[in-house]
Each structure stands twice: as C-alpha cells, then as structure tokens.
Amino acid sequence: MKKKRILWIVVAAAILFTAAALIHCHVLKGRIDPTAPLHKPVNSVYYWKTSYYADEAQLEFMRKNNVRRMYVRMFDVVQGTEQPEPNATITFHSSLPDSMEIVPTIFITVDALRQAMNQHSVDKLAEKIVRRVNAMISWEEIKNCNELQLDCDWTASTRDAYYKLCKEVKKCMDKDWLLSSTIRLHQLQQAPPPVDYGVLMVYNVGNFKNPNEENSILNSRTVEKFLTRRLRCDIPMDVALPIYKWDLLFDNDYNFVRICYKGEVPEKGFRVRHEEVPYAEIMKVKSLLRRHLHLTDGGHSTILYHMDDSNIYGYIDEQFKDIFDN
C-alpha cells in the first residue's frame, strides 16, 4: 500500500508539473494565425510620404522583388480646433501602378482619438474617414482597392475609443472590403481590435529621444522581451520590418532636439546619432518572430517600411530576398 501511495504521489506530481509547464508556455508564448485565408501573402511595402511620384528606381525595385501590395498613407487625422481633422494629405503627381494592390492607410493621432472620444463623436469620425478615402480613390482613379488600414498608437486609456472607431469604420466600408490595423509590440498584450487582420510593426521599438538608446529602430533584445510576454492580440497578422535610416539631433546636454533632414549638417554644439538596421539584425528578429509567434511558412506577408530611394539601396538583392522571405 505504501509503495502504491508513493507511486500515486509521483504520478500526480508529474501531472501537475506538466500542466504548470503547459500553462506557463501558454502565458509566455502565443501563436499568430496566418492571413492567407483573408488575402494572398505577397511581398509588400509601405509608402509613407506626402507626395507620390512614379520613381523609376522604386518601380524597378518592386518589379525585381515581386512586390504586389502597397500600403499608401493617404492622410493623418489630428486634433483640430473644434474636432479631429485631416492633415498631411498625400498629393499624387503620378498614377499608382495598375498591377499593384493598393491599401489606403490612415494614421490617427492619439490626441485626435481622445478628442473624438470626449465629444462622443467616434462614429462621425469613422464616417468622415471612409468618405474621404472613397473620394480620394475616385478622384485619383486608384484601382485594385479592397482593403483599408488604420494606424494608431492606442493605449489602455484610448483602447475602447479606437476599438469603437474600428467597428464604425467597418460598418461604413463596402462589405467585401477588409479592415486591418497596425499592431505595435506593446499592444500584443491587449485584446485584439475588431478588425480582419493586423500588421505587426516590428520597428520603432526603442525610445529615439533617449541619448543612451543603442538603436531605437530595431533591437533584437528589445523585441524578444515583448515576444516572451503573454500574447492576447490573437488575430491573423502580417509582419512589417524596417529598412529606413535616420539621424537624430541632440544638444550638448544630450537633450533630444529633432529628427534631422536628409543631408542636413548640424550646427556647432549639436550632436547627431545615426541609426540604421544591419541586415543581420533583421534576420535575427525574423528568427525570433518564427520561434515565439510560430509564424506559418507562406502564411504571412512581409511588408517593408518604407519605400524611399535611400532605403532601397541599403541592402543588396540577395539580402532583400531573405528579408522578404516568409
């Protein structure tokens, strides 16, 4: 009897240990479902400028890398004097490629969202966004549009307002359109917004205003800290990776001043920190995403942020092939 009792204790302990390990694994790691059932996983890019020109170098880059989808920032929504208003609307000096899927993308500031929330006018803001996007598509004769994306750095205090905005936008859209939302790393621990899929923004991971930040654009150690926390944002996702670079201006007391313009020479008494992302660091982050989020081979699109002449010359052809590989 004593031996049987000991055996049962050992078995029970083993079961409890296994259950605890499974719970621990569930809490710390998650799984992102593929977006393949919603839209075809293809090589994609963000276009995040206020003017669009059919730049031959960029067109050649997209042909060479078989880019089939462009997320085009159409305008921002910012806090206005009386109500949220559009700002920095893109001007089209050329037609977008007919062969490309175009996803109009709208950046919404937290201040604009909070203003709409305080005025109880989130539903009106949704109507205005959709109406303006449709008008721009019609006026510019943009083809191959069947998605809309919202981009907002919402937090716990503005989450409910943003989720309501997503719901209201979805109501105003054509029924056969998809609605997506950007998802920042810190938002992975929140319940998902009511959209068809998300785009995980794996860039701007650090505080660029911090003079001691090693690389605010992308740092694999910072990324891994987010990926090993509990994942609650369990919606299908594609992944956006950075290929941009920038110079950050600090004064002699190491206070952040601003982002430098391209080719700008800083005045005496100021310091510049240059940031760009090494190819090896991008590949390390891709490996972390596969390991922690269990990305399905061929199930997710890779989106590069963002399309610019200086960015497309930052890596050789084989490296771009590896970065796009999903």
Side-chain angles (χ1 to χ4, degrees), residues 61 67 104 107 110 141 189 208 216 248 254 290 303 308:
F61 171 85
V67 173
F107 174 67
V110 174
E141 298 181 346
Q189 284 72 55
F208 63 84
S216 65
L248 305 172
Y254 298 97
R290 284 181 176 274
I303 312 167
D308 182 80

Side-chain angles (χ1 to χ4, degrees), residues 180-191:
S180 63
S181 172
T182 54
I183 304 293
R184 287 156 176 79
L185 287 170
H186 71 84
Q187 295 167 342
L188 282 173
Q189 284 72 55
Q190 302 283 340

Side-chain angles (χ1 to χ4, degrees), residues 48 105-109 149-153 162 182 184 201:
W48 212 259
T105 303
I106 312 303
F107 174 67
I108 304 155
T109 67
Q149 183 170 108
L150 302 180
D151 176 27
C152 181
D153 192 8
Y162 181 66
T182 54
R184 287 156 176 79
M201 288 174 47

Side-chain angles (χ1 to χ4, degrees), residues 100-125:
M100 198 77 61
E101 291 180 40
I102 305 299
V103 181
T105 303
I106 312 303
F107 174 67
I108 304 155
T109 67
V110 174
D111 288 337
L113 185 62
R114 192 173 285 116
Q115 185 178 35
M117 178 177 64
N118 293 337
Q119 294 176 346
H120 305 287
S121 60
V122 173
D123 54 342
K124 293 180 181 179
L125 176 58

Side-chain angles (χ1 to χ4, degrees), residues 58-114:
Q58 295 177 23
L59 293 174
E60 176 59 25
F61 171 85
M62 289 190 286
R63 284 193 292 266
K64 187 187 301 181
N65 290 282
N66 197 30
V67 173
R68 289 289 176 262
R69 186 177 296 131
M70 286 180 68
Y71 292 79
V72 181
R73 189 204 63 84
M74 305 293 273
F75 56 88
D76 300 341
V77 177
V78 301
Q79 181 179 5
T81 306
E82 298 180 358
Q83 58 187 357
E85 59 187 33
N87 184 58
T89 301
I90 191 171
T91 301
F92 291 95
H93 300 276
S94 308
S95 298
L96 290 163
D98 290 342
S99 60
M100 198 77 61
E101 291 180 40
I102 305 299
V103 181
T105 303
I106 312 303
F107 174 67
I108 304 155
T109 67
V110 174
D111 288 337
L113 185 62
R114 192 173 285 116

Side-chain angles (χ1 to χ4, degrees), residues 36 87 95 98 101 108 132 134 143-144 146 173 186 207 218 228 240 246 250-251 254 293 297 320-321 323:
N87 184 58
S95 298
D98 290 342
E101 291 180 40
I108 304 155
R132 197 165 202 269
N134 287 336
K143 302 176 182 177
N144 299 328
N146 56 14
M173 291 167 49
H186 71 84
N207 180 6
L218 192 67
T228 52
W246 59 15
F250 296 83
D251 63 23
Y254 298 97
L293 301 183
D297 289 343
F320 272 120
K321 182 178 179 182
I323 294 170

